[in-house]
Amino acid sequence: MDFVRGSIVISKAGHDKGRIMVVDKVSDKFAYVCDGKERPTEKPKLKNLKHLCLTSKVIEMPQTNKQLRKMLNSFSKID
């Protein structure tokens, strides 16, 4: 499975280690990720793909940060 827009990922390295995020954009070896709180959709974080753990979940990107936080929060309670 590849990294695509809307993929749910878990950070494996950095100050955000263990945090659940969603992929906004993907380039060669990097992905822009956001979580709606520390990293809003307007200012996604550039992360190396090897520092992200891909899950099997893919969501449709929500319109607002509040909706994104709600979706990620419900995902973390399931796992």
Side-chain angles (χ1 to χ4, degrees):
M1 189 168 173
D2 286 335
F3 290 90
V4 294
R5 188 170 200 258
S7 295
I8 303 289
V9 295
I10 301 171
S11 176
K12 295 193 299 188
H15 73 279
D16 54 6
K17 183 178 180 177
R19 188 170 296 156
I20 298 172
M21 300 177 157
V22 65
V23 174
D24 189 31
K25 289 188 266 182
V26 180
S27 60
D28 269 344
K29 295 181 181 182
F30 299 96
Y32 289 92
V33 294
C34 50
D35 64 1
K37 186 175 181 180
E38 298 292 323
R39 286 294 171 172
T41 56
E42 299 83 29
K43 195 176 176 184
K45 179 172 178 62
L46 180 68
K47 294 271 300 177
N48 193 317
L49 293 180
K50 67 182 181 180
H51 295 156
L52 296 172
C53 179
L54 186 63
T55 65
S56 59
K57 277 284 215 196
V58 178
I59 61 170
E60 186 174 327
M61 285 296 288
Q63 297 286 328
T64 65
N65 288 315
K66 185 176 181 178
Q67 292 171 338
L68 178 58
R69 285 191 307 268
K70 189 174 181 180
M71 290 176 114
L72 291 177
N73 191 26
S74 67
F75 177 74
S76 65
K77 288 181 181 177
I78 292 171
D79 289 341

